[in-house]
Amino acid sequence: SQTIHQWPATLVQPVGSPLSLECTVEGTSNPNLYWYRQAAGRGLQLLFYSVGIGQISSEVPQNLSASRPQDRQFILSSKKLLLSDSGFYLCAWSLTGEGYTFGSGTRLTVV
Amino acid sequence: EDQVTQSPEALRLQEGESSSLNCSYTVSGLRGLFWYRQDPGKGPEFLFTLYSAGEEKEKERLKATLTKKESFLHITAPKPEDSATYLCAVQSSYKLIFGSGTRLLVRP
């Protein structure tokens, strides 16, 4: 069966520090991969999606970047965090034509 | 522009009091409408996918329906464990576009 792993679960980082969140999927090949952010009490905002290795599409201009170094690995990064980067970050995967499966999320607090 | 609007924002029910949640959408070429349940501090959990107007799906006390412009999530005789945020999303190309959700609280 397919599983998605996302870590860390919580993270507190100072303003100006770098960020790296990792997401891996097991049990499937060539999945579509996604990074979403959820602000408190609000819906999910799509940040990046990838339909293959090295193929990254950005939805919202911002202080973040994404990379897909391997088929089932998706990384969200920042060189210098801003206070506004705080939020709940969710990774998800899907196969074309099917629904999304989400990870457990990372609660990021920038202080 | 593809858009999803959910109402109400919040809903409080007594245990056993049935109700419906609404999801209105505009999308160029609907490829699927999705319902998710999200508990605090956790990732969304998949409930249903609907593909065409008139389609209905059920799971325990939940029933989802779809028209050309909106979807309803009907909750029959809810229990306190049904308390959660319910998210609606439409698929546009590779992406899911989400509404802001309905926070449901079921009191015993």
Side-chain angles (χ1 to χ4, degrees):
Chain A
S1 63
Q2 301 91 354
T3 56
I4 179 169
H5 302 281
Q6 189 179 342
W7 67 93
T10 60
L11 191 59
V12 180
Q13 291 285 99
V15 169
S17 65
L19 172 73
S20 181
L21 302 180
E22 189 165 343
C23 172
T24 59
V25 179
E26 295 178 356
T28 187
S29 296
N30 196 31
N32 300 323
L33 297 172
Y34 309 85
W35 279 110
Y36 279 85
R37 178 170 60 198
Q38 186 174 34
R42 303 188 63 180
L44 279 69
Q45 178 189 35
L46 179 63
L47 302 176
F48 301 95
Y49 69 95
S50 172
V51 298
I53 296 175
Q55 300 179 58
I56 309 293
S57 297
S58 174
E59 288 294 300
V60 182
Q62 59 207 331
N63 186 42
L64 302 170
S65 62
S67 62
R68 184 171 178 173
Q70 301 180 34
D71 181 44
R72 291 170 290 175
Q73 183 185 29
F74 206 23
I75 298 173
L76 183 69
S77 303
S78 174
K79 292 182 179 179
K80 291 184 177 181
L81 284 169
L82 306 173
L83 288 175
S84 57
D85 292 324
S86 294
F88 191 47
Y89 288 83
L90 288 156
C91 180
W93 74 274
S94 74
L95 296 176
T96 301
E98 299 183 4
Y100 288 23
T101 300
F102 284 87
S104 55
T106 295
R107 173 73 58 191
L108 171 66
T109 304
V110 182
V111 297
Chain B
E1 181 182 353
D2 300 335
Q3 192 169 359
V4 179
T5 303
Q6 291 187 247
S7 61
E9 290 186 7
L11 181 62
R12 293 185 177 185
L13 300 174
Q14 287 296 130
E15 184 173 2
E17 178 186 3
S18 301
S19 188
S20 296
L21 282 55
N22 177 264
C23 172
S24 300
Y25 65 91
T26 55
V27 63
S28 52
L30 180 67
R31 299 188 179 190
L33 185 138
F34 299 78
W35 282 99
Y36 286 84
R37 168 190 171 131
Q38 186 176 25
D39 293 303
K42 296 187 177 181
E45 176 187 346
F46 172 77
L47 293 174
F48 304 108
T49 307
L50 303 168
Y51 292 102
S52 57
E55 188 175 0
E56 300 181 351
K57 289 191 177 175
E58 290 188 64
K59 179 180 180 180
E60 296 181 353
R61 296 176 292 283
L62 300 177
K63 178 181 178 179
T65 62
L66 181 65
T67 72
K68 290 185 178 180
K69 293 184 178 181
E70 57 191 351
S71 175
F72 293 93
L73 185 65
H74 307 278
I75 303 177
T76 302
K79 298 181 178 181
E81 53 262 43
D82 294 322
S83 297
T85 296
Y86 291 85
L87 298 169
C88 171
V90 294
Q91 184 164 5
S92 175
S93 183
Y94 292 101
K95 307 176 293 185
L96 280 189
I97 299 170
F98 282 84
S100 55
T102 294
R103 297 187 307 279
L104 174 65
L105 176 63
V106 182
R107 295 174 171 173

